[in-house]
Amino acid sequence: MPAVPAWSIVRPLLFRLDPETAHGAAMAALRTAQALPPVVSALRRRFLVEAPALRQTLFGRELLNPVGLAAGFDKDAVAVRGLAALGFGCIEAGTVTPKPQAGNPRPRLFRHSSAESLQNAMGFNNAGLAAVRERLLRLRPAPVPLGVNVGKNKATPADEAVADYELLIHAFAGLCDYLVVNVSSPNTPGLRDLQNEGFLRAVLRMATGITGRPVLVKIAPDLEEADAVRLAEVAVDSGAAGVVATNTTNDYALLPGAKDFGGLSGAVLREKSFRIFDAVARRLFGRAVLISAGGIGSGAEAYRRLQAGASLVQVYTAFVYGGPGLPRRINEELLELMERDGAKGLGEVIGAAR
Ligand SMILES: Cc1cc2nc3c(=O)[nH]c(=O)nc-3n(C[C@H](O)[C@H](O)[C@H](O)COP(=O)(O)O)c2cc1C
């Protein structure tokens, strides 16, 4: 069996590199690994938690566990097989825009290591609709349930944004298990202005007109709680299958020493993200699929989100700090908590606090 190097050795080496270079190196390693079936098998043996108690059917597909990879890690869906072998229950590719985009100038990704947080101003750097569509065609059947997160190009004016989303939903509806309309990145000027009732109604009317696939809306943590709940409800009433809460925050007061641009993620975002998720879930649990992201890095935190009403949690920043063993650790801790509480399956956990 090929050896998988220990994270305690790999992490200091990666963390000596600039964060985006380190991400590129990790992606290159995953791409190499996924091309070698014995390595994929070895990774799966080491990292995948097989437990009936963690399984559920979501979007018409069986999820092996409720720990997903958040959007932005594999924007172009180049390492889905490698990432799936690390034990994620679900992977969200993207954000993909219609045309390829270079994103903002570097440096645009920063570590705040002592706070287990990141700050990014990537600006939807991605290979664009055509290239990602090619990849997904070749990926079929995907190794785990797959979401595609879509966004408008930076150059597209707000009054033409629906057309961008239309192109993307057309292109990807047949190639994924769910779609996410991203209106919450802080790094595309004006994008968050699309978090309004009129736009959400229009985009969901369009989306539900062209696909039966579930379409979710991803919201920012920086909305007022009441606004977040109202917008999430408008989205669901207009046909959204659910809500992803939340994206990164531009509340720089959360972290002394933060830069004054881009979005903060990780531990500093945890409570803010939970509050918004919890408020949305109080209104929508039972009516929509709820996905929670933002500062999740432990089984205890994942459990809190599931109990609050999440069917799926997503991680990004804690995966960067915690390494490839993170999904396994979260899933094992979840199993311990479920055993402690006598819960035999996720059905007894999800929404238990509602
Ligand atoms: C470097 C980076 C890039 C991201 N890119 C995207 C993106 O393209 N689309 C998106 O919807 N969210 C993106 N996100 C946000 C994450 O999907 C997630 O919502 C957020 O980071 C909170 O989760 P976390 O605290 O576990 O990182 C990105 C986050 C980071 C750190």
Side-chain angles (χ1 to χ4, degrees):
M1 179 171 104
V4 182
W7 180 240
S8 58
I9 295 170
V10 174
R11 177 178 144 148
L13 298 175
L14 278 178
F15 275 47
R16 236 183 266 168
L17 304 173
D18 131 87
E20 200 171 339
T21 308
H23 187 258
M27 292 298 277
L30 283 164
R31 292 179 79 165
T32 305
Q34 72 185 4
L36 305 166
V39 176
V40 170
S41 301
L43 291 172
R44 283 173 59 87
R45 273 197 298 278
R46 172 140 166 201
F47 293 118
L48 192 66
V49 180
E50 294 272 16
L54 293 176
R55 291 182 185 220
Q56 67 179 312
T57 302
L58 198 63
F59 310 125
R61 284 207 53 189
E62 165 130 297
L63 255 70
L64 290 182
N65 67 71
V67 180
L69 180 65
F73 194 92
D74 188 2
K75 289 177 187 270
D76 298 333
V78 293
V80 173
R81 284 192 194 289
L83 288 161
L86 301 184
F88 286 107
C90 188
I91 291 174
E92 191 171 310
T95 295
V96 185
T97 56
K99 295 186 191 118
Q101 248 183 213
N104 292 320
R106 293 193 194 191
R108 54 191 180 177
L109 177 58
F110 309 90
R111 297 185 191 99
H112 297 288
S113 295
S114 54
E116 299 231 337
S117 298
L118 292 172
Q119 189 161 8
N120 92 83
M122 308 302 284
F124 288 171
N125 54 307
N126 78 105
L129 179 158
V132 178
R133 194 176 139 75
E134 269 308 303
R135 287 222 178 85
L136 293 185
L137 280 166
R138 273 185 274 127
L139 186 67
R140 285 193 295 184
V144 291
L146 189 71
V148 177
N149 177 310
V150 296
K152 74 167 195 74
N153 275 117
K154 181 178 179 182
T156 304
D159 60 358
E160 292 167 26
V162 172
D164 268 16
Y165 289 96
E166 185 168 1
L167 284 172
L168 292 154
I169 287 168
H170 253 302
F172 293 117
L175 294 172
C176 64
D177 298 293
Y178 72 98
L179 292 142
V180 177
V181 170
N182 184 2
V183 283
S184 51
S185 164
N187 300 315
T188 294
L191 189 81
R192 285 182 167 190
D193 297 339
L194 301 181
Q195 293 183 126
N196 67 71
E197 290 187 22
F199 180 77
L200 290 178
R201 285 210 176 90
V203 81
L204 288 159
R205 191 179 319 121
M206 172 278 293
T208 47
I210 58 179
T211 180
R213 280 272 190 280
V215 178
L216 286 76
V217 174
K218 185 165 179 178
I219 62 171
D222 302 310
L223 295 160
E224 291 298 326
E225 231 172 80
D227 292 339
V229 172
R230 188 174 46 79
L231 286 172
E233 192 166 34
V234 164
V236 169
D237 288 346
S238 308
V243 178
V244 184
T246 66
N247 214 311
T248 57
T249 178
N250 55 15
D251 182 356
Y252 306 123
L254 285 173
L255 184 66
K259 301 186 183 303
D260 60 358
F261 59 93
L264 286 163
S265 58
V268 290
L269 171 60
R270 186 173 299 141
E271 289 310 314
K272 192 179 182 88
S273 175
F274 177 78
R275 273 200 305 280
I276 294 288
F277 177 80
D278 192 50
V280 168
R282 245 178 275 136
R283 179 69 59 88
L284 290 179
F285 179 70
R287 279 169 60 193
V289 173
L290 304 173
I291 299 180
S292 188
I296 299 167
S298 67
E301 188 59 29
Y303 199 58
R304 178 163 78 133
R305 308 290 176 112
L306 295 173
Q307 289 188 314
S311 294
L312 177 69
V313 299
Q314 292 180 328
V315 300
Y316 189 136
T317 303
F319 180 51
V320 169
Y321 286 101
L326 186 78
R328 167 163 217 130
R329 282 199 294 282
I330 294 180
N331 279 311
E332 286 177 345
E333 285 169 33
L334 274 176
L335 285 170
E336 282 168 26
L337 292 166
M338 289 169 71
E339 196 175 319
R340 180 197 70 188
D341 294 347
K344 296 200 172 39
L346 284 181
E348 294 170 47
V349 178
I350 295 169
R354 298 277 74 100

